[in-house]
Each structure stands twice: as C-alpha cells, then as structure tokens.
Amino acid sequence: MYEIYKGKALDKWEKKIYRLGLPKDDYDRVLRHYIGCMIWGNHFMPIKKLISFIIFPVIYCMTTKRKNIVHLDTIDAVLTCPDKAYMVSDEELPAEIRNSYKKIIRVYYNKNSIINSIISYTLDNEGRKISRTCFKKFPFVPFMNVAVLLHLCRIYMLIMQYRPKAIITTQTEQDFTASIITRYCEDKGIKYICIQHGEYCYNPSMAFFRFSEYYAWNRETIDILELTNTNINYAHIYTPERLKQKYKKKEQPDFYITYYLSNETETEVLEIRKILLKFVESGFPCSIRKHPRALSKEFIFDTFSETGINIEDCNLVSIGDSISNTKYIVAYRSTVLSEGIANSMSVVIDDIVGDVEFLARVHDINLKRTSLRLSMLMDKCI
C-alpha cells in the first residue's frame, strides 16, 4: 500500500542527498526538496522538463510587463491552500495565530489560478532576482525553475492585493518552492507560516523545507521532519481541534469494522474488498469510508455495492458519528487512527494489504500507539 513509498526509492534518495550534502541556503533547500518530490516518479516528466526549458524565458519576460493590481483590502493574514478540502476552519487554527492575526481572509488556489497569475499580473524586481538566481544556480532543472517563478508570482499577487503581515498555508510541506517563498516573504517583512494538515511520516517529499513558523501536532512529527533535514527552528506544537473532540462509542455499534481509505490504489481497494467480504460472510457487519480526495466515488460504489458492505458517505456522516458507530477503526495510514486513539477507541492497522515493516522504516507514529492488527481480527473471527 502507498505505492509512492518504496524502499528502493528511499535508498536511492538517501544516497543522492548524501552526495549533495547539507544545503547552504534556501536555493539549495529548494533543489534538495525538489529531488525528494521527484524521487517517487512523475508522469511525463521528460516532456514537462522540455516544455519548461522552452517556456521559462517566455514567462519571465511576461512578468516584466507592468500590470495594475487592484488593492482589495488590508488584512492581517492570508490563509491559502490548494482547495476547500484542505482549508482550516477558524476553530482549527492554532490559538497563537488567532490571537496574532485578527483579520484573516481565505484564498484558494489551483494550477489554473497559478497560471492566471502570470497572465494577469506581474512580479517585482526582488522576485525576478530570486528567479534569475535560481536559474543561474540550477540551469538544468527547468521544471523546478518554472515552478519557483509561478509561485513567486502567485505570492506577489497576494501581497499586493491584501498587504498582509503573514501568509498562512496548510498541506504545503510537499511544495518544493516553500523555502524560496519563505525567503521572498521574509525579505518583505512578511511571515510565511505552515500548519500541519495530517499525520506525517519520514517522507522525502517533505525534506529540507523551511517556513518562518511551523505548527506541528506533536513532538513526534518534529522529530520525523528533522530526520529529513527540514529547518523547523521556529516550530510550535499545538493540538488540532479534531484531536480534542470527545466521542463516545455506541453501546451497540452498527458495524464490527469500518475501514477508512486514504490513497490506496484500485488494486489495493479490491484486496480490501475481499477481506471485508470474509468478515461479512462470517456475520460481522462492515463499512467502508472513502477519503474525500482519493479515488472516485463511482469506483468505490461499483466496487462495494451489492456486497453487503456499507458504503459510508463522508459528506453525510461526520467522522465523529462514524468512529462512534464501529467496534474497530481500521486503516493503513490515516489521521482517523489518531482521532480514534485520542478517544481511547479500538484502532487497528491493516497489516494484510499494508506493509507494516515499511511503516516502521518511515517512523509511522501510530504504529507504536496501537498493537492491534487486521490479521489478528481475521484470526479471531474467520
């Protein structure tokens, strides 16, 4: 499970990073972070690199044209993330952020909005200088250089529109441009802050990043990130609201097992289906819950309909109601496991479809928090 996490890829990355050595500045951090993101593979990367090599000078020239940017408002902070599914509510923001920045506006972005920032807006001299320096240091990494330029334009647009004291992000640890964006913001007296979104493990895609401030859920997360040479000297620990919620399990829950999917492949989901069917056939009712951003709803419905396995709609059933209505919370890697543990519920790690030995290698936090495994339930019930 988690096909992006492969032992051989980790070995390859660790050897490459060892040869490169530790970063000397934020430009070096971006390169090493980029290598970590690419180590898992990227579809059509040779084509992307060729296109990037061609379009970089074109995009750069476009940013030199002065364009009018409408100043919309003056606020304390901009909270930005890829889409609404990642957004942090007011209640979920760390107390330090709520107290420091009273007026916060939310801005969503995606690939189209980043491209539109090039077409519609511009970049200042400082941003173009950073882009040029990055290109001069690493001229043969065109895809990285284009990404840096695009993100600089996006951030410049936010700064000009809102004049914020801080730009706050979430789910941005895997953005390899983060360190350069942090430098750009700090040169303007603006903080670039990141808030942890979910449980993390030892992951090259999060290696070497730097933010002005980082809000982590626990000390274990900081320890794991330090293993990948992130610069988190300004890390804060806070408990997110989702782990403060108190849920009480029903005396007679409707389901024996609820399996919480994350980013499994279709093949892995079919294997999970076979396992849950065995429980159902043995008289133990099961439910499956799709992750909001993983796989298609249609695929899950087609796979589990007419099997006797309940398909739980994450848009209709809250996570609290869900974990309160099952005897065992089962997943391979999911924040739901942490929520169950926080409420002293029976949490089970899938060691049948999932590779538990690999979880140990990447320092999965919940592996030490629960001793229950899906194979144990299989032996007990089937």
Side-chain angles (χ1 to χ4, degrees), residues 67 75 84 113 124 138 156 187 189 251 254 309 314 321 353:
K67 305 180 182 73
I75 48 87
K84 292 183 179 180
S113 68
D124 60 2
F138 313 115
Y156 177 66
D187 286 347
E251 292 185 5
D254 292 337
I309 300 169
C314 59
D321 289 340
V353 179

Side-chain angles (χ1 to χ4, degrees), residues 69-329:
I69 300 178
V70 179
H71 175 53
L72 301 177
D73 196 1
T74 298
I75 48 87
D76 292 326
V78 173
L79 180 57
T80 179
C81 69
D83 58 55
K84 292 183 179 180
Y86 293 101
M87 187 51 78
V88 179
S89 67
D90 289 339
E91 296 75 19
E92 292 175 320
L93 284 173
E96 295 94 327
I97 288 181
R98 293 199 305 269
N99 294 333
S100 299
Y101 308 104
K102 299 297 184 181
K103 190 175 182 181
I104 300 176
I105 191 169
R106 285 165 165 72
V107 177
Y108 308 108
Y109 71 89
N110 52 37
K111 292 180 180 178
N112 290 331
S113 68
I114 294 175
I115 293 173
N116 288 338
S117 69
I118 290 292
I119 297 173
S120 305
Y121 299 102
T122 185
L123 185 59
D124 60 2
N125 292 330
E126 292 85 351
R128 285 195 295 274
K129 181 179 179 181
I130 288 175
S131 178
R132 286 197 308 273
T133 302
C134 193
F135 179 80
K136 290 177 181 178
K137 286 175 70 72
F138 313 115
F140 300 110
V141 196
F143 183 75
M144 183 187 79
N145 287 318
V146 168
V148 167
L149 181 56
L150 290 173
H151 281 275
L152 284 170
C153 287
R154 178 178 63 86
I155 294 298
Y156 177 66
M157 177 184 70
L158 293 178
I159 292 172
M160 294 303 291
Q161 286 180 325
Y162 299 107
R163 307 289 200 275
K165 300 174 184 176
I167 296 177
I168 305 166
T169 72
T170 183
Q171 195 74 11
T172 320
E173 295 91 341
Q174 297 187 49
D175 175 11
F176 56 80
T177 71
S179 298
I180 281 293
I181 298 302
T182 299
R183 175 184 178 137
Y184 178 63
C185 289
E186 288 177 346
D187 286 347
K188 295 180 176 297
I190 299 169
K191 289 185 177 181
Y192 193 51
I193 302 170
C194 184
I195 302 172
Q196 181 178 346
H197 173 76
E199 292 286 14
Y200 298 145
C201 62
Y202 179 74
N203 183 352
S205 297
M206 298 182 183
F208 296 99
F209 71 69
R210 182 179 80 85
F211 292 94
S212 304
E213 294 180 10
Y214 184 76
Y215 286 83
W217 290 1
N218 44 54
R219 181 67 231 182
E220 293 96 325
T221 296
I222 294 176
D223 292 340
I224 290 171
L225 291 174
E226 286 178 338
L227 291 174
T228 58
N229 293 295
T230 55
N231 185 339
I232 45 178
N233 296 329
Y234 300 100
H236 308 272
I237 295 176
Y238 86 106
T239 302
E241 287 300 315
R242 69 177 78 179
L243 298 184
K244 292 180 182 178
Q245 298 293 330
K246 297 302 178 184
Y247 303 116
K248 186 177 181 181
K249 184 180 293 185
K250 290 183 178 180
E251 292 185 5
Q252 297 293 328
D254 292 337
F255 304 106
Y256 185 75
I257 283 176
T258 296
Y259 196 109
Y260 296 86
L261 298 173
S262 49
N263 67 345
E264 291 82 0
T265 64
E266 292 187 359
T267 300
E268 290 162 349
V269 170
L270 292 175
E271 290 298 314
I272 293 169
R273 176 182 179 272
K274 292 178 183 178
I275 294 170
L276 296 184
L277 276 174
K278 291 180 180 180
F279 280 98
V280 171
E281 291 167 356
S282 299
F284 298 93
C286 296
S287 183
I288 191 84
R289 183 181 175 102
K290 172 188 173 297
H291 191 282
R293 296 182 302 276
L295 294 176
S296 69
K297 187 175 182 179
E298 292 73 20
F299 172 75
I300 298 299
F301 180 80
D302 292 342
T303 302
F304 291 96
S305 61
E306 300 181 3
T307 61
I309 300 169
N310 178 65
I311 304 172
E312 191 170 275
D313 191 334
C314 59
N315 295 316
L316 299 178
V317 182
S318 71
I319 197 66
D321 289 340
S322 177
I323 64 176
S324 301
N325 195 30
T326 186
K327 185 172 183 180
Y328 292 106
I329 299 166

